[in-house]
Amino acid sequence: MPVRPGEFIATLGFISGDYIAIELASIRLGAVSVPLQTSATPSNLRPVVAETGPRVLAVSVENLGAAAEIDVGGETVRKLVVCDYVPGAGAAARRSPPSSPARGPAAPVPPSPRCSPPTCGSGPGRERARLLGDAKERRGGLIPGTGASRPGSRGFPGPPRRGLMDIWETMDRERVDEFIAGQLDAWEVPGCAIAAVRGGEGELAGGWGYRDAEAGLPVTPDTLFSVASLTKAFTASVIGALADDGLLEWDRPVRDYAPDVRLHDPVVTERLTITDLLAHRSGLPRHDLAWIGHPDRSRADLVRRLRFLPLSRDLRQAFQYCNFGYLAAGHVADVVSGGSWEELARDRLLGPLGMTRSNLSVGELVADPDHATGYLRLRGEVRPVPPRPRPAMAPGGGINSCAADMARWLLAQLGDGTEVLSPATRKRQHAPHMVMGARKGLRAYSRSAYGLGWSIGRYRDRPALMHSGSIDGFKAHCVLLPDDGAGAVVLTNGSSRLMPLTVACRVLDELLGAERLDLFSVLKPRADAARTGARQARAARRVVAGAVPPRPLAEYAGVYEHPGYGTLTVTLDGDVLKPAFGTMRLSLSHRHYETFDLRWHERDDPPALYPLTFVSDPDGDITALDARFEASVGPLRFARIPEVPGPGVLERLCGTYAMGPATVTIALRAGRRLTLSAGRGPALDLEPVRGLRFRVKDRPGTAEFDLDDRGGVARLVVQPTGIFYPKPAEAQ
């Protein structure tokens, strides 16, 4: 193909130092305008985005207008024409140039393994496969689970056409910088990232403070934070995409798609819909300890345990925030798509929106060189804490993102014209589905209902959508004002949940050009009083003086199990009982009688505390413990797993025992279970209780073996029948 002159038709985004960002829409070759579809890597222009569609290039400012040569499929383009110049060089522009060693060129979303259509759900696998195929066609060739497009399809739409504008053009930067620095100091938060949008454009993406306080590393617009429960709106959007594709219906029972999603009440299970799960109205309370300490549990395993978690309300009776609802919704997405929630989130949201920095796991977060360290107040000091892996709960809080990417998400939720979210999905997400308690004491900022991944309320008498997020040293808050086309999100790496709200509202005031509201003077005293009050209440808790444990500590040691929560193990180390429950850092101290305090040290100032009360049977053996892990449902019963004697011990217990003319026979079944038979009656299974005490299965009685000094059986006490003695071998 002959080489001939041409022009780039491009959009100028932002200026950063000596670099300028360009979004290339097409190439003009002679009289023909050709969409830019093939990769171009010139020596003097550095691509940042390499997937098909618009290219973002960085060009040295001093070379702007100079001759440039790019080979595009054999064609050479010698001239660069820049259109739609947007002035401004602010926080969003102060990111590292694309050639910065800290961050190389952004890569396209990596392809994920192709998945076959599911065969389970409401209908035959053939019908579901047809629906999947139809959905692919409607999306212009995008294939779920691959991140790829068929030849000739439009593929992922590019990121928003305009670069992030500079909010400092309309506000006093020094004043706001001073405000944010003061908030970081007052709330003891190391750093924060802020994104703001208005009128369909990015207004601000910046960082303040430190992503790593010990190393003195600053927060940038690209610094990754956990957005925690802000993920919930993403999950609702994923479900909306599946509904748009005809793969599920919002108000159809979940059992039609995923029969393994069963709640404690079968009547609730029959009526439960995906909307109930996403609107926190399933009747299921939080039960967070059932998943927090168990990163090894799969999403399917946690779904299976839902049927053992007691409900606190009837279906649609009350708003009860519950992360498990979003885990179950993610599981439904896994089933109906034949892939995974993670694939759907990447292929349907993050990739199309150009959120190339965002990821979905703790491993990806910590592997990124520009990620924030989470901090919590522990034992009176702000300390770094490692992030907790939570792969199963990712649909409820697994996304990690940055200010620059979150600006794109705000624009999509406000309806910026992209095709990523359908108008129907956005409308359903933002509509009220469940009444919730109003926030007290904040007239300017109130909430009244919950949508799907969003709380619904008002800010300064304007309709508002809002949500907060909190996990492992990260706090976030997001507010959208749909009527104004404005929104702000604040990501922090500290333990204060009210600081992001305070800053987000201040940014909104600047966007609106409104009088600044002083939320800090209301929220900070409230937070301080709550912390002090919790300490004082803990110190004033009722403890019965002199009520020591009624038995040796060794008798409390054992393994206790709840079918929904798993196993809680108590061991004796010297004169201290030590608990173990998943990966949580715990300690156990005596309160009074048979009640102990379980302290969770990763939730400090003051540490989270859960009372445990050991339960014994009429014979005085500890058979269970009651744990108050979920206040709204009362104590949860963890049954003690019996200590089964070894096979050699069981064999020595076998034989015939006599009480006068009456006899009973003890035998070993399958080499591991004792049985008791009397006369011609059926053999009854003996279930171990403790030591050599056994419970007669399905009978109100026990059988206990007493040993003599030589280790032989001296007698067998059968309650309530009598005392039997070993029958001599010759008599047997």
Side-chain angles (χ1 to χ4, degrees), residues 144-172:
T146 67
S149 299
R150 284 191 286 272
S153 71
R154 61 179 176 82
F156 288 153
R161 289 296 306 274
R162 292 186 182 273
L164 296 174
M165 292 173 62
D166 194 348
I167 195 173
W168 306 126
E169 294 179 1
T170 59
M171 62 192 289
D172 184 335

PDB file of all heavy atoms in Angstrom, residues 144-172:
ATOM      1  N   PRO A 144     -19.518 -12.692  26.540  1.00  0.00           N
ATOM      2  CA  PRO A 144     -19.291 -12.737  27.981  1.00  0.00           C
ATOM      3  C   PRO A 144     -18.205 -13.736  28.325  1.00  0.00           C
ATOM      4  O   PRO A 144     -18.137 -14.818  27.766  1.00  0.00           O
ATOM      5  CB  PRO A 144     -20.657 -13.189  28.533  1.00  0.00           C
ATOM      6  CG  PRO A 144     -21.632 -12.934  27.432  1.00  0.00           C
ATOM      7  CD  PRO A 144     -20.873 -13.063  26.169  1.00  0.00           C
ATOM      8  N   GLY A 145     -17.380 -13.347  29.255  1.00  0.00           N
ATOM      9  CA  GLY A 145     -16.355 -14.253  29.728  1.00  0.00           C
ATOM     10  C   GLY A 145     -15.086 -14.249  28.918  1.00  0.00           C
ATOM     11  O   GLY A 145     -14.134 -14.928  29.255  1.00  0.00           O
ATOM     12  N   THR A 146     -15.030 -13.502  27.816  1.00  0.00           N
ATOM     13  CA  THR A 146     -13.820 -13.490  27.016  1.00  0.00           C
ATOM     14  C   THR A 146     -13.184 -12.122  26.942  1.00  0.00           C
ATOM     15  O   THR A 146     -12.001 -11.990  26.692  1.00  0.00           O
ATOM     16  CB  THR A 146     -14.109 -13.955  25.583  1.00  0.00           C
ATOM     17  OG1 THR A 146     -14.939 -12.989  24.958  1.00  0.00           O
ATOM     18  CG2 THR A 146     -14.792 -15.298  25.559  1.00  0.00           C
ATOM     19  N   GLY A 147     -13.984 -11.054  27.124  1.00  0.00           N
ATOM     20  CA  GLY A 147     -13.461  -9.707  26.958  1.00  0.00           C
ATOM     21  C   GLY A 147     -13.116  -9.413  25.506  1.00  0.00           C
ATOM     22  O   GLY A 147     -12.424  -8.466  25.199  1.00  0.00           O
ATOM     23  N   ALA A 148     -13.601 -10.245  24.579  1.00  0.00           N
ATOM     24  CA  ALA A 148     -13.252 -10.081  23.166  1.00  0.00           C
ATOM     25  C   ALA A 148     -14.488  -9.775  22.347  1.00  0.00           C
ATOM     26  O   ALA A 148     -15.606  -9.978  22.770  1.00  0.00           O
ATOM     27  CB  ALA A 148     -12.588 -11.361  22.649  1.00  0.00           C
ATOM     28  N   SER A 149     -14.276  -9.307  21.130  1.00  0.00           N
ATOM     29  CA  SER A 149     -15.366  -9.018  20.210  1.00  0.00           C
ATOM     30  C   SER A 149     -15.166  -9.803  18.937  1.00  0.00           C
ATOM     31  O   SER A 149     -14.049 -10.132  18.550  1.00  0.00           O
ATOM     32  CB  SER A 149     -15.421  -7.525  19.889  1.00  0.00           C
ATOM     33  OG  SER A 149     -15.634  -6.766  21.036  1.00  0.00           O
ATOM     34  N   ARG A 150     -16.270 -10.083  18.274  1.00  0.00           N
ATOM     35  CA  ARG A 150     -16.166 -10.714  16.969  1.00  0.00           C
ATOM     36  C   ARG A 150     -15.680  -9.696  15.941  1.00  0.00           C
ATOM     37  O   ARG A 150     -15.880  -8.498  16.110  1.00  0.00           O
ATOM     38  CB  ARG A 150     -17.532 -11.275  16.572  1.00  0.00           C
ATOM     39  CG  ARG A 150     -17.867 -12.570  17.305  1.00  0.00           C
ATOM     40  CD  ARG A 150     -19.092 -13.199  16.663  1.00  0.00           C
ATOM     41  NE  ARG A 150     -20.303 -12.475  17.010  1.00  0.00           N
ATOM     42  CZ  ARG A 150     -21.026 -12.729  18.085  1.00  0.00           C
ATOM     43  NH1 ARG A 150     -20.638 -13.657  18.910  1.00  0.00           N
ATOM     44  NH2 ARG A 150     -22.127 -12.057  18.332  1.00  0.00           N
ATOM     45  N   PRO A 151     -15.054 -10.134  14.887  1.00  0.00           N
ATOM     46  CA  PRO A 151     -14.596  -9.191  13.865  1.00  0.00           C
ATOM     47  C   PRO A 151     -15.734  -8.307  13.381  1.00  0.00           C
ATOM     48  O   PRO A 151     -16.834  -8.768  13.122  1.00  0.00           O
ATOM     49  CB  PRO A 151     -14.078 -10.118  12.753  1.00  0.00           C
ATOM     50  CG  PRO A 151     -13.721 -11.381  13.453  1.00  0.00           C
ATOM     51  CD  PRO A 151     -14.700 -11.520  14.570  1.00  0.00           C
ATOM     52  N   GLY A 152     -15.442  -7.030  13.279  1.00  0.00           N
ATOM     53  CA  GLY A 152     -16.432  -6.102  12.787  1.00  0.00           C
ATOM     54  C   GLY A 152     -17.321  -5.521  13.854  1.00  0.00           C
ATOM     55  O   GLY A 152     -18.122  -4.638  13.585  1.00  0.00           O
ATOM     56  N   SER A 153     -17.243  -6.011  15.105  1.00  0.00           N
ATOM     57  CA  SER A 153     -18.087  -5.456  16.158  1.00  0.00           C
ATOM     58  C   SER A 153     -17.412  -4.232  16.742  1.00  0.00           C
ATOM     59  O   SER A 153     -16.223  -4.016  16.586  1.00  0.00           O
ATOM     60  CB  SER A 153     -18.324  -6.506  17.243  1.00  0.00           C
ATOM     61  OG  SER A 153     -17.135  -6.710  17.971  1.00  0.00           O
ATOM     62  N   ARG A 154     -18.197  -3.455  17.479  1.00  0.00           N
ATOM     63  CA  ARG A 154     -17.641  -2.222  18.025  1.00  0.00           C
ATOM     64  C   ARG A 154     -16.804  -2.465  19.266  1.00  0.00           C
ATOM     65  O   ARG A 154     -16.040  -1.602  19.693  1.00  0.00           O
ATOM     66  CB  ARG A 154     -18.765  -1.241  18.363  1.00  0.00           C
ATOM     67  CG  ARG A 154     -19.740  -1.770  19.400  1.00  0.00           C
ATOM     68  CD  ARG A 154     -20.800  -0.739  19.712  1.00  0.00           C
ATOM     69  NE  ARG A 154     -21.791  -1.269  20.641  1.00  0.00           N
ATOM     70  CZ  ARG A 154     -21.633  -1.308  21.939  1.00  0.00           C
ATOM     71  NH1 ARG A 154     -20.519  -0.888  22.474  1.00  0.00           N
ATOM     72  NH2 ARG A 154     -22.579  -1.792  22.718  1.00  0.00           N
ATOM     73  N   GLY A 155     -16.927  -3.647  19.921  1.00  0.00           N
ATOM     74  CA  GLY A 155     -16.131  -3.921  21.112  1.00  0.00           C
ATOM     75  C   GLY A 155     -16.485  -3.005  22.251  1.00  0.00           C
ATOM     76  O   GLY A 155     -17.582  -2.475  22.344  1.00  0.00           O
ATOM     77  N   PHE A 156     -15.538  -2.816  23.179  1.00  0.00           N
ATOM     78  CA  PHE A 156     -15.764  -1.934  24.313  1.00  0.00           C
ATOM     79  C   PHE A 156     -15.821  -0.491  23.835  1.00  0.00           C
ATOM     80  O   PHE A 156     -14.952  -0.039  23.105  1.00  0.00           O
ATOM     81  CB  PHE A 156     -14.632  -2.045  25.332  1.00  0.00           C
ATOM     82  CG  PHE A 156     -14.644  -3.323  26.108  1.00  0.00           C
ATOM     83  CD1 PHE A 156     -13.453  -3.826  26.614  1.00  0.00           C
ATOM     84  CD2 PHE A 156     -15.815  -4.008  26.331  1.00  0.00           C
ATOM     85  CE1 PHE A 156     -13.456  -4.996  27.342  1.00  0.00           C
ATOM     86  CE2 PHE A 156     -15.817  -5.175  27.059  1.00  0.00           C
ATOM     87  CZ  PHE A 156     -14.638  -5.673  27.559  1.00  0.00           C
ATOM     88  N   PRO A 157     -16.819   0.272  24.300  1.00  0.00           N
ATOM     89  CA  PRO A 157     -16.740   1.713  24.054  1.00  0.00           C
ATOM     90  C   PRO A 157     -15.576   2.284  24.836  1.00  0.00           C
ATOM     91  O   PRO A 157     -15.186   1.751  25.864  1.00  0.00           O
ATOM     92  CB  PRO A 157     -18.080   2.235  24.580  1.00  0.00           C
ATOM     93  CG  PRO A 157     -18.556   1.206  25.543  1.00  0.00           C
ATOM     94  CD  PRO A 157     -18.015  -0.106  25.052  1.00  0.00           C
ATOM     95  N   GLY A 158     -15.002   3.349  24.344  1.00  0.00           N
ATOM     96  CA  GLY A 158     -13.853   3.948  25.001  1.00  0.00           C
ATOM     97  C   GLY A 158     -14.238   4.709  26.240  1.00  0.00           C
ATOM     98  O   GLY A 158     -15.408   4.822  26.584  1.00  0.00           O
ATOM     99  N   PRO A 159     -13.258   5.222  26.967  1.00  0.00           N
ATOM    100  CA  PRO A 159     -13.532   6.031  28.144  1.00  0.00           C
ATOM    101  C   PRO A 159     -14.201   7.337  27.740  1.00  0.00           C
ATOM    102  O   PRO A 159     -14.278   7.675  26.561  1.00  0.00           O
ATOM    103  CB  PRO A 159     -12.145   6.272  28.735  1.00  0.00           C
ATOM    104  CG  PRO A 159     -11.209   6.100  27.590  1.00  0.00           C
ATOM    105  CD  PRO A 159     -11.826   5.086  26.692  1.00  0.00           C
ATOM    106  N   PRO A 160     -14.753   8.098  28.714  1.00  0.00           N
ATOM    107  CA  PRO A 160     -15.390   9.380  28.394  1.00  0.00           C
ATOM    108  C   PRO A 160     -14.496  10.236  27.512  1.00  0.00           C
ATOM    109  O   PRO A 160     -13.289  10.312  27.704  1.00  0.00           O
ATOM    110  CB  PRO A 160     -15.616   9.999  29.771  1.00  0.00           C
ATOM    111  CG  PRO A 160     -15.730   8.837  30.689  1.00  0.00           C
ATOM    112  CD  PRO A 160     -14.786   7.809  30.146  1.00  0.00           C
ATOM    113  N   ARG A 161     -15.107  10.933  26.572  1.00  0.00           N
ATOM    114  CA  ARG A 161     -14.338  11.634  25.557  1.00  0.00           C
ATOM    115  C   ARG A 161     -13.495  12.772  26.113  1.00  0.00           C
ATOM    116  O   ARG A 161     -12.438  13.085  25.596  1.00  0.00           O
ATOM    117  CB  ARG A 161     -15.289  12.164  24.473  1.00  0.00           C
ATOM    118  CG  ARG A 161     -15.859  11.047  23.604  1.00  0.00           C
ATOM    119  CD  ARG A 161     -14.759  10.356  22.838  1.00  0.00           C
ATOM    120  NE  ARG A 161     -13.956  11.288  22.076  1.00  0.00           N
ATOM    121  CZ  ARG A 161     -14.260  11.708  20.866  1.00  0.00           C
ATOM    122  NH1 ARG A 161     -15.362  11.273  20.286  1.00  0.00           N
ATOM    123  NH2 ARG A 161     -13.492  12.555  20.224  1.00  0.00           N
ATOM    124  N   ARG A 162     -13.977  13.449  27.139  1.00  0.00           N
ATOM    125  CA  ARG A 162     -13.214  14.571  27.674  1.00  0.00           C
ATOM    126  C   ARG A 162     -12.360  14.112  28.853  1.00  0.00           C
ATOM    127  O   ARG A 162     -12.751  13.245  29.618  1.00  0.00           O
ATOM    128  CB  ARG A 162     -14.148  15.695  28.134  1.00  0.00           C
ATOM    129  CG  ARG A 162     -14.859  16.376  26.972  1.00  0.00           C
ATOM    130  CD  ARG A 162     -15.650  17.567  27.483  1.00  0.00           C
ATOM    131  NE  ARG A 162     -16.372  18.203  26.392  1.00  0.00           N
ATOM    132  CZ  ARG A 162     -15.858  19.144  25.621  1.00  0.00           C
ATOM    133  NH1 ARG A 162     -14.619  19.545  25.813  1.00  0.00           N
ATOM    134  NH2 ARG A 162     -16.559  19.681  24.657  1.00  0.00           N
ATOM    135  N   GLY A 163     -11.196  14.727  28.981  1.00  0.00           N
ATOM    136  CA  GLY A 163     -10.376  14.459  30.142  1.00  0.00           C
ATOM    137  C   GLY A 163     -10.994  15.102  31.367  1.00  0.00           C
ATOM    138  O   GLY A 163     -11.976  15.833  31.290  1.00  0.00           O
ATOM    139  N   LEU A 164     -10.424  14.810  32.501  1.00  0.00           N
ATOM    140  CA  LEU A 164     -10.958  15.369  33.740  1.00  0.00           C
ATOM    141  C   LEU A 164     -10.641  16.854  33.817  1.00  0.00           C
ATOM    142  O   LEU A 164      -9.494  17.263  33.779  1.00  0.00           O
ATOM    143  CB  LEU A 164     -10.359  14.627  34.940  1.00  0.00           C
ATOM    144  CG  LEU A 164     -10.738  13.150  35.005  1.00  0.00           C
ATOM    145  CD1 LEU A 164      -9.983  12.486  36.139  1.00  0.00           C
ATOM    146  CD2 LEU A 164     -12.225  13.004  35.186  1.00  0.00           C
ATOM    147  N   MET A 165     -11.689  17.671  33.941  1.00  0.00           N
ATOM    148  CA  MET A 165     -11.494  19.107  34.069  1.00  0.00           C
ATOM    149  C   MET A 165     -10.996  19.441  35.465  1.00  0.00           C
ATOM    150  O   MET A 165     -10.937  18.584  36.341  1.00  0.00           O
ATOM    151  CB  MET A 165     -12.811  19.833  33.789  1.00  0.00           C
ATOM    152  CG  MET A 165     -13.259  19.720  32.334  1.00  0.00           C
ATOM    153  SD  MET A 165     -14.897  20.408  32.103  1.00  0.00           S
ATOM    154  CE  MET A 165     -14.593  22.106  32.573  1.00  0.00           C
ATOM    155  N   ASP A 166     -10.696  20.674  35.684  1.00  0.00           N
ATOM    156  CA  ASP A 166     -10.074  21.092  36.926  1.00  0.00           C
ATOM    157  C   ASP A 166     -11.047  21.899  37.769  1.00  0.00           C
ATOM    158  O   ASP A 166     -11.439  22.996  37.413  1.00  0.00           O
ATOM    159  CB  ASP A 166      -8.844  21.948  36.609  1.00  0.00           C
ATOM    160  CG  ASP A 166      -7.966  22.123  37.838  1.00  0.00           C
ATOM    161  OD1 ASP A 166      -8.441  21.787  38.930  1.00  0.00           O
ATOM    162  OD2 ASP A 166      -6.834  22.584  37.681  1.00  0.00           O
ATOM    163  N   ILE A 167     -11.460  21.311  38.889  1.00  0.00           N
ATOM    164  CA  ILE A 167     -12.422  21.989  39.755  1.00  0.00           C
ATOM    165  C   ILE A 167     -11.841  23.264  40.353  1.00  0.00           C
ATOM    166  O   ILE A 167     -12.568  24.157  40.769  1.00  0.00           O
ATOM    167  CB  ILE A 167     -12.878  21.039  40.882  1.00  0.00           C
ATOM    168  CG1 ILE A 167     -14.138  21.588  41.569  1.00  0.00           C
ATOM    169  CG2 ILE A 167     -11.794  20.818  41.903  1.00  0.00           C
ATOM    170  CD1 ILE A 167     -14.720  20.636  42.565  1.00  0.00           C
ATOM    171  N   TRP A 168     -10.498  23.346  40.370  1.00  0.00           N
ATOM    172  CA  TRP A 168      -9.887  24.518  41.012  1.00  0.00           C
ATOM    173  C   TRP A 168     -10.141  25.806  40.231  1.00  0.00           C
ATOM    174  O   TRP A 168      -9.899  26.892  40.735  1.00  0.00           O
ATOM    175  CB  TRP A 168      -8.384  24.308  41.163  1.00  0.00           C
ATOM    176  CG  TRP A 168      -8.041  23.039  41.870  1.00  0.00           C
ATOM    177  CD1 TRP A 168      -7.208  22.058  41.418  1.00  0.00           C
ATOM    178  CD2 TRP A 168      -8.527  22.594  43.129  1.00  0.00           C
ATOM    179  NE1 TRP A 168      -7.145  21.033  42.316  1.00  0.00           N
ATOM    180  CE2 TRP A 168      -7.940  21.334  43.379  1.00  0.00           C
ATOM    181  CE3 TRP A 168      -9.406  23.120  44.073  1.00  0.00           C
ATOM    182  CZ2 TRP A 168      -8.198  20.600  44.526  1.00  0.00           C
ATOM    183  CZ3 TRP A 168      -9.663  22.385  45.218  1.00  0.00           C
ATOM    184  CH2 TRP A 168      -9.060  21.150  45.432  1.00  0.00           C
ATOM    185  N   GLU A 169     -10.613  25.700  38.996  1.00  0.00           N
ATOM    186  CA  GLU A 169     -10.927  26.911  38.249  1.00  0.00           C
ATOM    187  C   GLU A 169     -12.114  27.660  38.846  1.00  0.00           C
ATOM    188  O   GLU A 169     -12.295  28.848  38.621  1.00  0.00           O
ATOM    189  CB  GLU A 169     -11.223  26.556  36.785  1.00  0.00           C
ATOM    190  CG  GLU A 169     -10.010  26.004  36.052  1.00  0.00           C
ATOM    191  CD  GLU A 169     -10.345  25.644  34.616  1.00  0.00           C
ATOM    192  OE1 GLU A 169     -11.489  25.850  34.215  1.00  0.00           O
ATOM    193  OE2 GLU A 169      -9.451  25.162  33.914  1.00  0.00           O
ATOM    194  N   THR A 170     -12.989  26.960  39.569  1.00  0.00           N
ATOM    195  CA  THR A 170     -14.192  27.591  40.119  1.00  0.00           C
ATOM    196  C   THR A 170     -14.180  27.634  41.638  1.00  0.00           C
ATOM    197  O   THR A 170     -15.184  27.948  42.245  1.00  0.00           O
ATOM    198  CB  THR A 170     -15.435  26.817  39.659  1.00  0.00           C
ATOM    199  OG1 THR A 170     -15.326  25.461  40.118  1.00  0.00           O
ATOM    200  CG2 THR A 170     -15.563  26.838  38.150  1.00  0.00           C
ATOM    201  N   MET A 171     -13.065  27.312  42.277  1.00  0.00           N
ATOM    202  CA  MET A 171     -13.025  27.333  43.731  1.00  0.00           C
ATOM    203  C   MET A 171     -11.625  27.718  44.210  1.00  0.00           C
ATOM    204  O   MET A 171     -10.668  27.660  43.449  1.00  0.00           O
ATOM    205  CB  MET A 171     -13.427  25.969  44.296  1.00  0.00           C
ATOM    206  CG  MET A 171     -12.504  24.833  43.906  1.00  0.00           C
ATOM    207  SD  MET A 171     -13.164  23.188  44.291  1.00  0.00           S
ATOM    208  CE  MET A 171     -13.040  23.197  46.062  1.00  0.00           C
ATOM    209  N   ASP A 172     -11.564  28.089  45.450  1.00  0.00           N
ATOM    210  CA  ASP A 172     -10.306  28.511  46.053  1.00  0.00           C
ATOM    211  C   ASP A 172      -9.523  27.264  46.460  1.00  0.00           C
ATOM    212  O   ASP A 172      -9.833  26.639  47.477  1.00  0.00           O
ATOM    213  CB  ASP A 172     -10.595  29.403  47.264  1.00  0.00           C
ATOM    214  CG  ASP A 172      -9.329  29.969  47.884  1.00  0.00           C
ATOM    215  OD1 ASP A 172      -8.253  29.363  47.725  1.00  0.00           O
ATOM    216  OD2 ASP A 172      -9.429  31.021  48.537  1.00  0.00           O
TER     217      ASP A 172
END
